[in-house]
Amino acid sequence: MNKKILILISFVVLFQNSLFALHYFSLRGKLTYNYFNAGDLKYMHDHAIMLLRNYNIPARALQSFPPYYGLQVQLLIPVKDSLGINAGVYLEQFSTGVRMDYKDYSGEERLDQILQGWALGLMGEKDFKLNSFISWNLNLGISFISASFETKALEQLYDYRSEESLEFSNFTVGITPGAGLSFNLYNFNISGTVGYMFCLPSTFQYEGETVKKTDSGDPMMPGLDGLRLSAGLGYGF
């Protein structure tokens, strides 16, 4: 919770002086759809299924770490209005995961693995006007990402019930170049963007220690790199 509060405070404070000094700024809300490679997360998923099957539990899983939806809020100010150059900050929340379960007359085995996090970012974009209503842009975002990976296990056998959870943390920096198309009507802006996020190598941590794979001893990485799609609605003040 403390990390979320610090991110929100940073988001407000970073540009507050600029907002008071300017006569114009733009606020956008975006829905994002994000792909990521999740190589090591899928390893943990496969390893968990293997452990359950070693106990003759035929666990099954739904789709393993599918592309995830995110919500993003952007605050943009013009840096060089005559050249169509804008800069700003954004805050994004994201979540994805997988569930494995098995249930019969005697009880239930269930395992949830959830990846979620927050990102605070700096961004810049260059607009190219096609006409007074339509423009396209090139953009670049730098994200500071705080993520967690939580495993929740439930075991129930007749009257016996046990629940356990384990959570790993991660911090990384992502760089996302992209391009977009915007439709402008009065002060409103409807936009769509496609990009690709490249993340700096980082590992999961648990109680200050690097989390490692059980078979090879290699460090566990979140694998957040991937394609980014978004659609949004903005308003200029």
Side-chain angles (χ1 to χ4, degrees):
M1 181 62 69
N2 290 336
K3 289 182 180 180
K4 296 178 182 178
I5 293 174
L6 287 174
I7 288 175
L8 288 171
I9 292 174
S10 300
F11 179 72
V12 174
V13 171
L14 188 59
F15 269 67
Q16 66 173 353
N17 293 332
S18 299
L19 289 178
F20 287 125
L22 289 169
H23 299 288
Y24 179 84
F25 65 93
S26 178
L27 188 64
R28 294 178 186 168
K30 285 195 169 187
L31 176 66
T32 63
Y33 190 66
N34 308 310
Y35 295 83
F36 66 120
N37 64 57
D40 287 348
L41 299 185
K42 291 178 180 178
Y43 159 83
M44 294 188 72
H45 159 67
D46 294 339
H47 184 68
I49 285 183
M50 180 190 70
L51 291 177
L52 290 175
R53 289 178 177 172
N54 284 344
Y55 288 96
N56 296 318
I57 299 172
R60 59 182 178 85
L62 302 178
Q63 187 177 3
S64 177
F65 298 104
Y68 58 85
Y69 288 98
L71 294 175
Q72 187 179 107
V73 178
Q74 297 179 348
L75 183 64
L76 289 171
I77 58 176
V79 175
K80 194 71 173 177
D81 199 36
S82 60
L83 298 178
I85 298 176
N86 304 304
V89 296
Y90 58 89
L91 181 67
E92 182 176 0
Q93 190 275 338
F94 61 89
S95 179
T96 187
V98 63
R99 166 171 287 185
M100 295 162 285
D101 65 356
Y102 175 74
K103 183 184 294 186
D104 63 16
Y105 69 93
S106 62
E108 179 182 7
E109 293 279 351
R110 187 171 72 222
L111 188 68
D112 292 324
Q113 294 178 310
I114 303 166
L115 174 71
Q116 58 185 350
W118 291 81
L120 175 67
L122 304 175
M123 66 174 296
E125 66 176 28
K126 163 66 175 171
D127 286 327
F128 301 89
K129 290 187 179 295
L130 300 179
N131 55 47
S132 58
F133 299 105
I134 304 174
S135 63
W136 69 280
N137 66 72
L138 296 175
N139 53 73
L140 181 68
I142 301 176
S143 303
F144 302 92
I145 305 167
S146 176
S148 66
F149 180 72
E150 185 176 12
T151 298
K152 297 179 180 180
L154 166 67
E155 181 183 7
Q156 184 168 350
L157 183 62
Y158 298 108
D159 293 332
Y160 171 80
R161 182 183 178 92
S162 173
E163 295 185 56
E164 297 182 359
S165 66
L166 183 65
E167 184 173 335
F168 303 146
S169 62
N170 173 265
F171 179 82
T172 188
V173 177
I175 300 174
T176 309
L181 188 66
S182 297
F183 300 90
N184 305 294
L185 183 62
Y186 299 106
N187 286 2
F188 288 96
N189 171 275
I190 300 174
S191 62
T193 305
V194 58
Y196 194 97
M197 185 165 74
F198 302 90
C199 286
L200 298 181
S202 63
T203 61
F204 282 113
Q205 301 290 312
Y206 178 70
E207 296 183 346
E209 299 291 333
T210 298
V211 179
K212 297 182 179 180
K213 299 179 184 179
T214 55
D215 54 357
S216 64
D218 295 332
M220 292 284 302
M221 298 184 179
L224 296 176
D225 312 67
L227 184 68
R228 300 291 185 264
L229 306 174
S230 69
L233 177 65
Y235 187 83
F237 295 87

